[in-house]
Amino acid sequence: MSRWKELPAELHPHVHQLIVRLRKLKDHSELSTRQLAAKTGYSAKSWQRYLNGRSLPPREAVEAMARVGGDDPSRLLVMHEIAAQRWAEGRVVTTDATENLSTTPAHPPTTEQQPAGRHLRAAVTAGAVVTALSVSAALLLAVRLTEARAQLAHDRGDAVTTAPATVSASFVPVIYTCRLEQRDGRWSAGLSPTTDILLSNTQVGLEVAEAQCLLGRAGTAPGEIDGVFGPKTRRAVERMQKRNGLIVNGVIDPPTWQALREADPK
């Protein structure tokens, strides 16, 4: 378990909550900062800033951490969305406060200026009350939005957490490490335990990397273990299916998963 530094006291509670969750995912993954950088595409120094509260991680980094830590990316991204709003609001408030301090008069107002000063203070107080009410309403709305999205993800069940993604413009290439081991006659690479998710062209993620590792063990290596289902992976799947007497369709379906996890290399 990592010994984390105490987060800055000025962090908004929602930002604090996000960073604590990211720290728990890193601890759960048992990866060092360098290993985390290799799996997510973000440098070790960047992760040190993110996990110590010095800067807010981008959306893609949070999504990558969810994949590595085995968490629900939809729920984590909702937390990031709210934290990003609070992070931006915190910077605006800090800037406004600095400007107010720099314009505060060094001497108290004269007797003639006091009535105007009282009106100004009253206006500022009223504005602060309105702002506080607006922030409270925004926080309540954000909490309800989070709860609604979490309930939607729960209702969808495994469909949310097991549906593999596809290649997009924001995809960050990652090289995965195969940790092959056999338990109860079944092979695993330590990336995904799935036995029934359908995988085909353009899909990406841990499930694809798991299949690539098992294809290499079966003697039909697909090239780099990058979690991308491309032409090399498809050809490797077809060779493996042909060797095991399966339907040669280039798609990793349940029978192909079974063969990958149970068959001996040929």
Side-chain angles (χ1 to χ4, degrees):
M1 185 69 68
S2 301
R3 293 184 178 179
W4 296 104
K5 296 180 179 179
E6 185 175 355
L7 290 172
E10 64 270 16
L11 285 181
H12 189 279
H14 287 158
V15 180
H16 187 282
Q17 182 181 16
L18 173 66
I19 296 175
V20 169
R21 183 59 186 164
L22 293 175
R23 286 180 170 186
K24 290 182 178 179
L25 290 176
K26 180 183 179 299
D27 290 340
H28 178 71
S29 70
E30 298 182 349
L31 297 175
S32 66
T33 306
R34 290 185 178 180
Q35 291 171 329
L36 183 62
K39 283 184 173 291
T40 61
Y42 291 84
S43 68
K45 290 185 178 180
S46 295
W47 277 116
Q48 290 173 359
R49 292 196 304 271
Y50 301 155
L51 297 174
N52 287 318
R54 294 198 299 271
S55 62
L56 187 71
R59 176 187 176 90
E60 292 77 9
V62 172
E63 189 172 9
M65 176 66 89
R67 292 198 307 268
V68 171
D71 197 8
D72 180 1
S74 61
R75 184 174 304 177
L76 200 60
L77 289 176
V78 171
M79 293 176 62
H80 176 267
E81 181 180 343
I82 298 173
Q85 294 174 0
R86 302 298 166 250
W87 185 274
E89 290 173 1
R91 292 192 171 189
V92 172
V93 170
T94 300
T95 302
D96 292 345
T98 303
E99 292 175 354
N100 290 339
L101 288 174
S102 64
T103 56
T104 301
H107 302 285
T110 62
T111 304
E112 296 178 353
Q113 292 174 328
Q114 287 180 358
R118 284 197 295 270
H119 290 306
L120 178 60
R121 286 194 296 273
V124 170
T125 302
V129 172
V130 172
T131 301
L133 292 175
S134 299
V135 171
S136 299
L139 287 173
L140 179 60
L141 179 61
V143 170
R144 290 182 177 178
L145 176 61
T146 301
E147 293 175 350
R149 290 183 177 178
Q151 183 62 42
L152 177 61
H154 176 73
D155 293 341
R156 289 179 178 175
D158 292 340
V160 173
T161 58
T162 59
T166 55
V167 177
S168 63
S170 61
F171 175 73
V172 179
V174 177
I175 301 300
Y176 295 90
T177 301
C178 299
R179 297 182 176 86
L180 291 169
E181 60 178 350
Q182 190 177 30
R183 293 182 179 178
D184 299 328
R186 293 168 54 81
W187 284 95
S188 171
L191 297 172
S192 172
T194 183
T195 59
D196 54 8
I197 293 180
L198 294 177
L199 298 177
S200 58
N201 279 338
T202 74
Q203 290 179 331
V204 299
L206 293 173
E207 292 82 7
V208 177
E210 174 82 10
Q212 289 174 330
C213 291
L214 297 178
L215 285 167
R217 187 202 65 82
T220 57
E224 289 186 336
I225 310 301
D226 55 6
V228 180
F229 200 121
K232 290 184 179 180
T233 299
R234 180 182 178 86
R235 288 194 293 270
V237 172
E238 291 174 346
R239 292 196 304 271
M240 186 270 175
Q241 290 173 331
K242 185 176 181 180
R243 291 184 182 183
N244 288 271
L246 302 173
I247 297 176
V248 182
N249 55 14
V251 176
I252 301 180
D253 48 21
T256 305
W257 275 117
Q258 182 178 358
L260 284 172
R261 294 198 182 280
E262 297 181 359
D264 292 327
K266 296 183 178 181

